[in-house]
DNA sequence: CCTACCGATCGGTAGG
DNA sequence: CCTACCGATCGGTAGG
């Protein structure tokens, strides 16, 4: 992520990047529990054992830190959910890999509050600005990724055309997000299985003649 | 809502109840935009042209006010969505009335931030306490209401049994909630139609041999 | 990265 | 319902 080609000659740069990253990650973790607005410079500083001024030296304003938290959360999400699914062939198989990885990501509490987006998008969806813009970018990329697999699946003839790929992506995201919320409310992972069952019924009904890999682990089990 | 049978003899009681209600409603409105934690006694007081102490005389703590906001929001929701749908016969017809009323409630901005629950449940789902408990009660009642109609519909033989009423209620709620979020993010009501289309496909696929009333208005159109 | 400081606002208490 | 006040915390600035 360094824009400089010679980071190794400058120890301060390396250490600075590490601190930068740690601050944004910690902010994302707290935001998943309490929201991005409840993130405060003072508490992040205490968490990391540095001074408040130390954070402000790296992120000038609170809004800068909030945007950085969104970007750090996106990177973590890509690492845990998107990248592993890319090993699977595009289409329905990769779609199910994305769904399974997503359920696992929530179940394993990669963020202490579950899905970062589910916690922060509803908080900022009525508040125009840089934070909402950053959330919109991340959300669109996720929906586009789902939609791409659905489009592939349809071209491969393994998906009916009752709903468009865009509508189906909307539905998948809706079910996953609702599962995360229900999990948090109930303090138990069972709703993840509900979402999987509904998705299996909906995509199974859509599916035509393909066999999905059965590498699928039950979340929470 | 007065526990006293003789409110008319005491003008202070009447006025006091009105103030109480106005405070809770205003808190609910703000919460739909900024979240329940961002609600502050000082700002609600300024909004209503009273002093901060005036609010504290009625709601002793911030948490009391947050719980009251959830209850006031629930009453408003029942008035705008649930009650009108009760004119329709139970089962699929009433279910669609609930869905249509819900979409209209978001489209008409009964709360400035759209759906109150969609804004506040993700905020508090990881924070045990009285506020989360109040949200859970309201959410369960809504899901049970949907589920009841689905159970009726199944008994009437107008719904397939691929998914259970509980799973279908989960799915309907997920789609509505996602529509609200997408509306707010995009600053336009179009996602309400997406949700309606997906629901029509899903419930239409489930439906067997009934004719739905076509009193259904397009939201945002 | 640090300390020291700023004005504003927070929830809550006391007393009326 | 009000004013007056409390300690704590907020984001941000200045200067190093």
């Amino acid at each position: 992520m360094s824009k400089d080609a010679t980071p190794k000659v400058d120890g301060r740069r390396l250490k600075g990047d590490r601190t930068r990253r740690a601050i944004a990650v910690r902010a994302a973790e707290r935001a998943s529990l309490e929201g991005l607005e409840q993130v405060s410079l003072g508490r992040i500083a205490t968490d990391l054992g540095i001074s408040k001024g130390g954070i402000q030296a790296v992120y000038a304003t609170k809004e800068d830190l909030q945007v950085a938290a969104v970007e750090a959360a996106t990177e973590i999400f890509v690492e845990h959910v998107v990248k592993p699914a890319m090993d699977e062939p595009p289409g329905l198989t990769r779609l199910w890999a994305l769904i399974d990885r997503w359920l696992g990501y929530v179940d394993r509490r990669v963020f202490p509050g579950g899905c970062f987006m589910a916690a922060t998008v509803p908080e900022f969806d009525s508040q125009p600005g840089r934070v909402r813009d950053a959330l919109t970018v991340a959300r669109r990329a996720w929906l586009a990724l789902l939609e791409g697999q659905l489009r592939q699946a349809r071209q491969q003839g393994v998906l009916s055309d009752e709903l468009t790929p865009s509508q189906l992506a909307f539905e998948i995201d809706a079910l996953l997000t609702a599962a995360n919320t229900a999990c948090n409310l109930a303090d138990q992972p069972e709703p993840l299985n509900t979402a999987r069952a509904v998705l299996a019924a909906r995509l199974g009904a859509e599916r035509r003649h393909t066999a999905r890999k059965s590498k699928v682990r039950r979340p929470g089990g």
Side-chain angles (χ1 to χ4, degrees), chain A residues 75-113:
Chain A
E75 285 175 30
I76 291 170
F77 179 82
V78 167
E79 210 63 43
H80 283 81
V81 178
V82 178
K83 275 193 186 168
M86 288 307 176
D87 294 339
E88 305 291 336
L92 262 194
T93 306
R94 184 177 291 176
L95 179 67
W96 272 106
L98 286 165
I99 291 169
D100 281 324
R101 285 286 176 171
W102 194 96
L103 294 170
Y105 144 83
V106 169
D107 190 40
R108 284 182 287 116
R109 302 276 118 177
V110 172
F111 290 99

mmCIF file of all heavy atoms in Angstrom, chain A residues 75-113:
data_model
loop_
_atom_site.group_PDB
_atom_site.id
_atom_site.type_symbol
_atom_site.label_atom_id
_atom_site.label_comp_id
_atom_site.label_asym_id
_atom_site.label_seq_id
_atom_site.Cartn_x
_atom_site.Cartn_y
_atom_site.Cartn_z
ATOM 1 N N GLU A 75 -10.760 -3.741 3.256
ATOM 2 C CA GLU A 75 -9.600 -4.603 3.006
ATOM 3 C C GLU A 75 -9.705 -5.918 3.773
ATOM 4 O O GLU A 75 -9.418 -6.994 3.254
ATOM 5 C CB GLU A 75 -8.302 -3.885 3.402
ATOM 6 C CG GLU A 75 -7.879 -2.805 2.418
ATOM 7 C CD GLU A 75 -6.654 -2.036 2.921
ATOM 8 O OE1 GLU A 75 -5.836 -2.636 3.656
ATOM 9 O OE2 GLU A 75 -6.536 -0.841 2.596
ATOM 10 N N ILE A 76 -10.120 -5.818 5.024
ATOM 11 C CA ILE A 76 -10.256 -7.022 5.850
ATOM 12 C C ILE A 76 -11.336 -7.933 5.275
ATOM 13 O O ILE A 76 -11.176 -9.160 5.203
ATOM 14 C CB ILE A 76 -10.586 -6.625 7.309
ATOM 15 C CG1 ILE A 76 -9.362 -5.957 7.937
ATOM 16 C CG2 ILE A 76 -11.035 -7.836 8.129
ATOM 17 C CD1 ILE A 76 -9.619 -5.307 9.290
ATOM 18 N N PHE A 77 -12.422 -7.325 4.840
ATOM 19 C CA PHE A 77 -13.515 -8.090 4.235
ATOM 20 C C PHE A 77 -13.047 -8.796 2.966
ATOM 21 O O PHE A 77 -13.323 -9.994 2.767
ATOM 22 C CB PHE A 77 -14.677 -7.141 3.920
ATOM 23 C CG PHE A 77 -15.860 -7.804 3.283
ATOM 24 C CD1 PHE A 77 -16.793 -8.472 4.053
ATOM 25 C CD2 PHE A 77 -16.041 -7.756 1.905
ATOM 26 C CE1 PHE A 77 -17.901 -9.085 3.469
ATOM 27 C CE2 PHE A 77 -17.136 -8.358 1.312
ATOM 28 C CZ PHE A 77 -18.065 -9.029 2.091
ATOM 29 N N VAL A 78 -12.328 -8.082 2.129
ATOM 30 C CA VAL A 78 -11.816 -8.680 0.883
ATOM 31 C C VAL A 78 -10.914 -9.858 1.209
ATOM 32 O O VAL A 78 -10.998 -10.922 0.582
ATOM 33 C CB VAL A 78 -11.067 -7.617 0.043
ATOM 34 C CG1 VAL A 78 -10.266 -8.278 -1.069
ATOM 35 C CG2 VAL A 78 -12.049 -6.600 -0.522
ATOM 36 N N GLU A 79 -10.081 -9.680 2.207
ATOM 37 C CA GLU A 79 -9.139 -10.739 2.593
ATOM 38 C C GLU A 79 -9.861 -11.988 3.080
ATOM 39 O O GLU A 79 -9.476 -13.108 2.744
ATOM 40 C CB GLU A 79 -8.225 -10.193 3.700
ATOM 41 C CG GLU A 79 -6.847 -10.780 3.722
ATOM 42 C CD GLU A 79 -6.080 -10.470 2.450
ATOM 43 O OE1 GLU A 79 -6.125 -9.322 1.955
ATOM 44 O OE2 GLU A 79 -5.460 -11.411 1.921
ATOM 45 N N HIS A 80 -10.909 -11.795 3.865
ATOM 46 C CA HIS A 80 -11.590 -12.938 4.490
ATOM 47 C C HIS A 80 -12.691 -13.544 3.637
ATOM 48 O O HIS A 80 -13.011 -14.721 3.788
ATOM 49 C CB HIS A 80 -12.194 -12.525 5.846
ATOM 50 C CG HIS A 80 -11.182 -12.429 6.940
ATOM 51 N ND1 HIS A 80 -10.380 -11.326 7.116
ATOM 52 C CD2 HIS A 80 -10.828 -13.304 7.911
ATOM 53 C CE1 HIS A 80 -9.585 -11.522 8.170
ATOM 54 N NE2 HIS A 80 -9.835 -12.705 8.666
ATOM 55 N N VAL A 81 -13.308 -12.745 2.795
ATOM 56 C CA VAL A 81 -14.484 -13.233 2.065
ATOM 57 C C VAL A 81 -14.228 -13.332 0.563
ATOM 58 O O VAL A 81 -14.458 -14.381 -0.051
ATOM 59 C CB VAL A 81 -15.715 -12.325 2.333
ATOM 60 C CG1 VAL A 81 -16.924 -12.810 1.542
ATOM 61 C CG2 VAL A 81 -16.025 -12.288 3.834
ATOM 62 N N VAL A 82 -13.748 -12.238 -0.014
ATOM 63 C CA VAL A 82 -13.681 -12.175 -1.477
ATOM 64 C C VAL A 82 -12.536 -13.016 -2.027
ATOM 65 O O VAL A 82 -12.733 -13.891 -2.878
ATOM 66 C CB VAL A 82 -13.546 -10.712 -1.951
ATOM 67 C CG1 VAL A 82 -13.424 -10.663 -3.463
ATOM 68 C CG2 VAL A 82 -14.745 -9.898 -1.472
ATOM 69 N N LYS A 83 -11.329 -12.765 -1.522
ATOM 70 C CA LYS A 83 -10.157 -13.453 -2.091
ATOM 71 C C LYS A 83 -10.278 -14.968 -2.064
ATOM 72 O O LYS A 83 -10.029 -15.623 -3.078
ATOM 73 C CB LYS A 83 -8.872 -13.005 -1.371
ATOM 74 C CG LYS A 83 -8.302 -11.716 -1.952
ATOM 75 C CD LYS A 83 -6.874 -11.475 -1.454
ATOM 76 C CE LYS A 83 -6.377 -10.104 -1.935
ATOM 77 N NZ LYS A 83 -5.127 -9.700 -1.259
ATOM 78 N N PRO A 84 -10.659 -15.558 -0.921
ATOM 79 C CA PRO A 84 -10.758 -17.029 -0.898
ATOM 80 C C PRO A 84 -11.762 -17.553 -1.923
ATOM 81 O O PRO A 84 -11.544 -18.620 -2.509
ATOM 82 C CB PRO A 84 -11.242 -17.325 0.525
ATOM 83 C CG PRO A 84 -10.849 -16.142 1.322
ATOM 84 C CD PRO A 84 -10.931 -14.973 0.402
ATOM 85 N N ALA A 85 -12.839 -16.810 -2.138
ATOM 86 C CA ALA A 85 -13.869 -17.271 -3.077
ATOM 87 C C ALA A 85 -13.380 -17.212 -4.522
ATOM 88 O O ALA A 85 -13.944 -17.873 -5.399
ATOM 89 C CB ALA A 85 -15.134 -16.443 -2.908
ATOM 90 N N MET A 86 -12.346 -16.427 -4.747
ATOM 91 C CA MET A 86 -11.845 -16.279 -6.112
ATOM 92 C C MET A 86 -11.133 -17.536 -6.609
ATOM 93 O O MET A 86 -10.821 -17.659 -7.789
ATOM 94 C CB MET A 86 -10.906 -15.069 -6.205
ATOM 95 C CG MET A 86 -11.646 -13.751 -6.112
ATOM 96 S SD MET A 86 -13.019 -13.632 -7.312
ATOM 97 C CE MET A 86 -13.732 -12.056 -6.854
ATOM 98 N N ASP A 87 -10.875 -18.467 -5.700
ATOM 99 C CA ASP A 87 -10.304 -19.749 -6.111
ATOM 100 C C ASP A 87 -11.333 -20.620 -6.832
ATOM 101 O O ASP A 87 -10.972 -21.571 -7.527
ATOM 102 C CB ASP A 87 -9.797 -20.526 -4.874
ATOM 103 C CG ASP A 87 -8.622 -19.816 -4.222
ATOM 104 O OD1 ASP A 87 -7.975 -19.001 -4.898
ATOM 105 O OD2 ASP A 87 -8.374 -20.075 -3.021
ATOM 106 N N GLU A 88 -12.607 -20.307 -6.631
ATOM 107 C CA GLU A 88 -13.679 -21.103 -7.252
ATOM 108 C C GLU A 88 -14.013 -20.550 -8.631
ATOM 109 O O GLU A 88 -13.851 -19.354 -8.878
ATOM 110 C CB GLU A 88 -14.929 -21.073 -6.362
ATOM 111 C CG GLU A 88 -14.697 -21.508 -4.928
ATOM 112 C CD GLU A 88 -14.382 -22.992 -4.810
ATOM 113 O OE1 GLU A 88 -14.777 -23.754 -5.699
ATOM 114 O OE2 GLU A 88 -13.710 -23.379 -3.822
ATOM 115 N N PRO A 89 -14.524 -21.397 -9.504
ATOM 116 C CA PRO A 89 -14.894 -20.924 -10.852
ATOM 117 C C PRO A 89 -16.060 -19.946 -10.792
ATOM 118 O O PRO A 89 -16.952 -20.104 -9.953
ATOM 119 C CB PRO A 89 -15.303 -22.213 -11.583
ATOM 120 C CG PRO A 89 -15.593 -23.198 -10.508
ATOM 121 C CD PRO A 89 -14.742 -22.849 -9.345
ATOM 122 N N PRO A 90 -16.035 -18.940 -11.642
ATOM 123 C CA PRO A 90 -17.101 -17.935 -11.648
ATOM 124 C C PRO A 90 -18.468 -18.550 -11.889
ATOM 125 O O PRO A 90 -18.574 -19.608 -12.499
ATOM 126 C CB PRO A 90 -16.718 -16.990 -12.785
ATOM 127 C CG PRO A 90 -15.572 -17.593 -13.484
ATOM 128 C CD PRO A 90 -15.011 -18.676 -12.639
ATOM 129 N N GLY A 91 -19.483 -17.881 -11.400
ATOM 130 C CA GLY A 91 -20.855 -18.371 -11.562
ATOM 131 C C GLY A 91 -21.410 -18.827 -10.236
ATOM 132 O O GLY A 91 -21.025 -18.324 -9.178
ATOM 133 N N LEU A 92 -22.288 -19.793 -10.290
ATOM 134 C CA LEU A 92 -22.966 -20.241 -9.065
ATOM 135 C C LEU A 92 -22.001 -20.776 -8.016
ATOM 136 O O LEU A 92 -22.204 -20.585 -6.814
ATOM 137 C CB LEU A 92 -23.997 -21.330 -9.393
ATOM 138 C CG LEU A 92 -25.457 -20.886 -9.541
ATOM 139 C CD1 LEU A 92 -26.371 -22.096 -9.523
ATOM 140 C CD2 LEU A 92 -25.846 -19.926 -8.419
ATOM 141 N N THR A 93 -20.971 -21.462 -8.465
ATOM 142 C CA THR A 93 -20.019 -22.036 -7.507
ATOM 143 C C THR A 93 -19.317 -20.942 -6.713
ATOM 144 O O THR A 93 -19.221 -20.997 -5.487
ATOM 145 C CB THR A 93 -18.973 -22.898 -8.232
ATOM 146 O OG1 THR A 93 -19.645 -23.865 -9.037
ATOM 147 C CG2 THR A 93 -18.073 -23.598 -7.234
ATOM 148 N N ARG A 94 -18.838 -19.932 -7.434
ATOM 149 C CA ARG A 94 -18.177 -18.828 -6.743
ATOM 150 C C ARG A 94 -19.172 -18.048 -5.883
ATOM 151 O O ARG A 94 -18.826 -17.576 -4.794
ATOM 152 C CB ARG A 94 -17.500 -17.891 -7.748
ATOM 153 C CG ARG A 94 -16.715 -16.776 -7.085
ATOM 154 C CD ARG A 94 -15.999 -15.899 -8.087
ATOM 155 N NE ARG A 94 -14.898 -16.598 -8.753
ATOM 156 C CZ ARG A 94 -14.165 -16.052 -9.732
ATOM 157 N NH1 ARG A 94 -14.435 -14.827 -10.155
ATOM 158 N NH2 ARG A 94 -13.188 -16.750 -10.276
ATOM 159 N N LEU A 95 -20.381 -17.942 -6.359
ATOM 160 C CA LEU A 95 -21.415 -17.254 -5.573
ATOM 161 C C LEU A 95 -21.616 -17.947 -4.223
ATOM 162 O O LEU A 95 -21.653 -17.296 -3.173
ATOM 163 C CB LEU A 95 -22.742 -17.239 -6.340
ATOM 164 C CG LEU A 95 -23.902 -16.557 -5.605
ATOM 165 C CD1 LEU A 95 -23.664 -15.063 -5.460
ATOM 166 C CD2 LEU A 95 -25.233 -16.814 -6.315
ATOM 167 N N TRP A 96 -21.707 -19.268 -4.269
ATOM 168 C CA TRP A 96 -21.876 -19.990 -3.003
ATOM 169 C C TRP A 96 -20.640 -19.900 -2.125
ATOM 170 O O TRP A 96 -20.745 -19.863 -0.894
ATOM 171 C CB TRP A 96 -22.261 -21.455 -3.257
ATOM 172 C CG TRP A 96 -23.743 -21.588 -3.363
ATOM 173 C CD1 TRP A 96 -24.480 -21.795 -4.479
ATOM 174 C CD2 TRP A 96 -24.674 -21.494 -2.267
ATOM 175 N NE1 TRP A 96 -25.819 -21.822 -4.173
ATOM 176 C CE2 TRP A 96 -25.969 -21.648 -2.823
ATOM 177 C CE3 TRP A 96 -24.563 -21.279 -0.898
ATOM 178 C CZ2 TRP A 96 -27.133 -21.603 -2.047
ATOM 179 C CZ3 TRP A 96 -25.715 -21.226 -0.123
ATOM 180 C CH2 TRP A 96 -26.981 -21.390 -0.699
ATOM 181 N N ALA A 97 -19.483 -19.844 -2.744
ATOM 182 C CA ALA A 97 -18.261 -19.656 -1.957
ATOM 183 C C ALA A 97 -18.288 -18.300 -1.253
ATOM 184 O O ALA A 97 -17.916 -18.183 -0.083
ATOM 185 C CB ALA A 97 -17.029 -19.765 -2.862
ATOM 186 N N LEU A 98 -18.769 -17.280 -1.964
ATOM 187 C CA LEU A 98 -18.879 -15.947 -1.360
ATOM 188 C C LEU A 98 -19.865 -15.968 -0.192
ATOM 189 O O LEU A 98 -19.593 -15.418 0.874
ATOM 190 C CB LEU A 98 -19.326 -14.924 -2.412
ATOM 191 C CG LEU A 98 -18.266 -14.514 -3.438
ATOM 192 C CD1 LEU A 98 -18.902 -13.800 -4.622
ATOM 193 C CD2 LEU A 98 -17.201 -13.627 -2.790
ATOM 194 N N ILE A 99 -21.003 -16.619 -0.415
ATOM 195 C CA ILE A 99 -22.010 -16.693 0.644
ATOM 196 C C ILE A 99 -21.465 -17.438 1.859
ATOM 197 O O ILE A 99 -21.593 -16.980 3.000
ATOM 198 C CB ILE A 99 -23.295 -17.375 0.122
ATOM 199 C CG1 ILE A 99 -23.990 -16.464 -0.894
ATOM 200 C CG2 ILE A 99 -24.232 -17.749 1.275
ATOM 201 C CD1 ILE A 99 -25.111 -17.138 -1.676
ATOM 202 N N ASP A 100 -20.817 -18.561 1.617
ATOM 203 C CA ASP A 100 -20.278 -19.345 2.739
ATOM 204 C C ASP A 100 -19.199 -18.588 3.480
ATOM 205 O O ASP A 100 -19.147 -18.608 4.711
ATOM 206 C CB ASP A 100 -19.724 -20.676 2.220
ATOM 207 C CG ASP A 100 -20.842 -21.679 1.976
ATOM 208 O OD1 ASP A 100 -21.811 -21.677 2.749
ATOM 209 O OD2 ASP A 100 -20.737 -22.464 1.019
ATOM 210 N N ARG A 101 -18.315 -17.949 2.721
ATOM 211 C CA ARG A 101 -17.262 -17.174 3.367
ATOM 212 C C ARG A 101 -17.854 -16.020 4.166
ATOM 213 O O ARG A 101 -17.372 -15.673 5.235
ATOM 214 C CB ARG A 101 -16.290 -16.628 2.306
ATOM 215 C CG ARG A 101 -15.368 -17.679 1.742
ATOM 216 C CD ARG A 101 -14.312 -18.039 2.766
ATOM 217 N NE ARG A 101 -13.456 -19.120 2.308
ATOM 218 C CZ ARG A 101 -12.356 -19.487 2.942
ATOM 219 N NH1 ARG A 101 -11.980 -18.863 4.054
ATOM 220 N NH2 ARG A 101 -11.637 -20.486 2.497
ATOM 221 N N TRP A 102 -18.894 -15.428 3.619
ATOM 222 C CA TRP A 102 -19.541 -14.311 4.320
ATOM 223 C C TRP A 102 -20.140 -14.790 5.644
ATOM 224 O O TRP A 102 -19.946 -14.174 6.696
ATOM 225 C CB TRP A 102 -20.633 -13.689 3.437
ATOM 226 C CG TRP A 102 -21.116 -12.354 3.935
ATOM 227 C CD1 TRP A 102 -20.689 -11.127 3.519
ATOM 228 C CD2 TRP A 102 -22.089 -12.130 4.958
ATOM 229 N NE1 TRP A 102 -21.352 -10.136 4.223
ATOM 230 C CE2 TRP A 102 -22.204 -10.726 5.106
ATOM 231 C CE3 TRP A 102 -22.864 -12.949 5.761
ATOM 232 C CZ2 TRP A 102 -23.075 -10.132 6.027
ATOM 233 C CZ3 TRP A 102 -23.723 -12.367 6.686
ATOM 234 C CH2 TRP A 102 -23.826 -10.972 6.811
ATOM 235 N N LEU A 103 -20.844 -15.899 5.594
ATOM 236 C CA LEU A 103 -21.434 -16.434 6.827
ATOM 237 C C LEU A 103 -20.344 -16.786 7.837
ATOM 238 O O LEU A 103 -20.487 -16.532 9.039
ATOM 239 C CB LEU A 103 -22.286 -17.668 6.498
ATOM 240 C CG LEU A 103 -23.537 -17.401 5.647
ATOM 241 C CD1 LEU A 103 -24.163 -18.704 5.168
ATOM 242 C CD2 LEU A 103 -24.562 -16.569 6.426
ATOM 243 N N GLY A 104 -19.253 -17.346 7.344
ATOM 244 C CA GLY A 104 -18.150 -17.681 8.231
ATOM 245 C C GLY A 104 -17.492 -16.444 8.830
ATOM 246 O O GLY A 104 -17.135 -16.423 10.015
ATOM 247 N N TYR A 105 -17.392 -15.416 8.023
ATOM 248 C CA TYR A 105 -16.798 -14.146 8.469
ATOM 249 C C TYR A 105 -17.610 -13.526 9.612
ATOM 250 O O TYR A 105 -17.055 -13.000 10.579
ATOM 251 C CB TYR A 105 -16.694 -13.220 7.250
ATOM 252 C CG TYR A 105 -16.923 -11.739 7.436
ATOM 253 C CD1 TYR A 105 -15.900 -10.897 7.877
ATOM 254 C CD2 TYR A 105 -18.152 -11.157 7.092
ATOM 255 C CE1 TYR A 105 -16.112 -9.525 7.998
ATOM 256 C CE2 TYR A 105 -18.364 -9.797 7.211
ATOM 257 C CZ TYR A 105 -17.346 -8.985 7.663
ATOM 258 O OH TYR A 105 -17.564 -7.636 7.780
ATOM 259 N N VAL A 106 -18.924 -13.651 9.522
ATOM 260 C CA VAL A 106 -19.755 -13.148 10.616
ATOM 261 C C VAL A 106 -19.668 -14.082 11.817
ATOM 262 O O VAL A 106 -19.534 -13.646 12.957
ATOM 263 C CB VAL A 106 -21.228 -12.983 10.162
ATOM 264 C CG1 VAL A 106 -22.142 -12.732 11.355
ATOM 265 C CG2 VAL A 106 -21.334 -11.851 9.149
ATOM 266 N N ASP A 107 -19.715 -15.369 11.543
ATOM 267 C CA ASP A 107 -19.701 -16.344 12.634
ATOM 268 C C ASP A 107 -18.391 -16.310 13.413
ATOM 269 O O ASP A 107 -18.393 -16.427 14.639
ATOM 270 C CB ASP A 107 -19.922 -17.746 12.053
ATOM 271 C CG ASP A 107 -20.165 -18.781 13.126
ATOM 272 O OD1 ASP A 107 -20.874 -18.459 14.098
ATOM 273 O OD2 ASP A 107 -19.633 -19.895 13.008
ATOM 274 N N ARG A 108 -17.284 -16.106 12.713
ATOM 275 C CA ARG A 108 -15.975 -16.102 13.372
ATOM 276 C C ARG A 108 -15.664 -14.771 14.036
ATOM 277 O O ARG A 108 -14.599 -14.599 14.633
ATOM 278 C CB ARG A 108 -14.879 -16.435 12.361
ATOM 279 C CG ARG A 108 -14.830 -17.917 12.002
ATOM 280 C CD ARG A 108 -13.700 -18.213 11.020
ATOM 281 N NE ARG A 108 -13.990 -17.712 9.672
ATOM 282 C CZ ARG A 108 -13.311 -16.765 9.049
ATOM 283 N NH1 ARG A 108 -12.277 -16.182 9.633
ATOM 284 N NH2 ARG A 108 -13.662 -16.387 7.829
ATOM 285 N N ARG A 109 -16.578 -13.815 13.905
ATOM 286 C CA ARG A 109 -16.385 -12.500 14.531
ATOM 287 C C ARG A 109 -15.059 -11.860 14.120
ATOM 288 O O ARG A 109 -14.243 -11.473 14.971
ATOM 289 C CB ARG A 109 -16.454 -12.588 16.058
ATOM 290 C CG ARG A 109 -17.752 -13.150 16.603
ATOM 291 C CD ARG A 109 -18.800 -12.082 16.718
ATOM 292 N NE ARG A 109 -19.937 -12.395 15.856
ATOM 293 C CZ ARG A 109 -21.040 -11.645 15.793
ATOM 294 N NH1 ARG A 109 -21.150 -10.564 16.522
ATOM 295 N NH2 ARG A 109 -22.015 -11.951 14.971
ATOM 296 N N VAL A 110 -14.840 -11.792 12.825
ATOM 297 C CA VAL A 110 -13.681 -11.063 12.324
ATOM 298 C C VAL A 110 -13.740 -9.636 12.855
ATOM 299 O O VAL A 110 -12.736 -9.074 13.297
ATOM 300 C CB VAL A 110 -13.656 -11.097 10.786
ATOM 301 C CG1 VAL A 110 -12.565 -10.191 10.259
ATOM 302 C CG2 VAL A 110 -13.486 -12.543 10.287
ATOM 303 N N PHE A 111 -14.924 -9.051 12.832
ATOM 304 C CA PHE A 111 -15.181 -7.818 13.584
ATOM 305 C C PHE A 111 -16.017 -8.193 14.807
ATOM 306 O O PHE A 111 -16.923 -9.030 14.698
ATOM 307 C CB PHE A 111 -15.946 -6.804 12.722
ATOM 308 C CG PHE A 111 -15.128 -6.230 11.608
ATOM 309 C CD1 PHE A 111 -15.242 -6.729 10.315
ATOM 310 C CD2 PHE A 111 -14.217 -5.215 11.853
ATOM 311 C CE1 PHE A 111 -14.476 -6.204 9.285
ATOM 312 C CE2 PHE A 111 -13.438 -4.688 10.831
ATOM 313 C CZ PHE A 111 -13.570 -5.185 9.543
ATOM 314 N N PRO A 112 -15.723 -7.568 15.928
ATOM 315 C CA PRO A 112 -16.421 -7.971 17.159
ATOM 316 C C PRO A 112 -17.935 -7.780 17.073
ATOM 317 O O PRO A 112 -18.682 -8.477 17.749
ATOM 318 C CB PRO A 112 -15.798 -7.080 18.238
ATOM 319 C CG PRO A 112 -15.128 -5.966 17.521
ATOM 320 C CD PRO A 112 -14.738 -6.509 16.183
ATOM 321 N N GLY A 113 -18.379 -6.845 16.237
ATOM 322 C CA GLY A 113 -19.809 -6.613 16.092
ATOM 323 C C GLY A 113 -20.419 -7.327 14.902
ATOM 324 O O GLY A 113 -21.537 -7.018 14.505
#
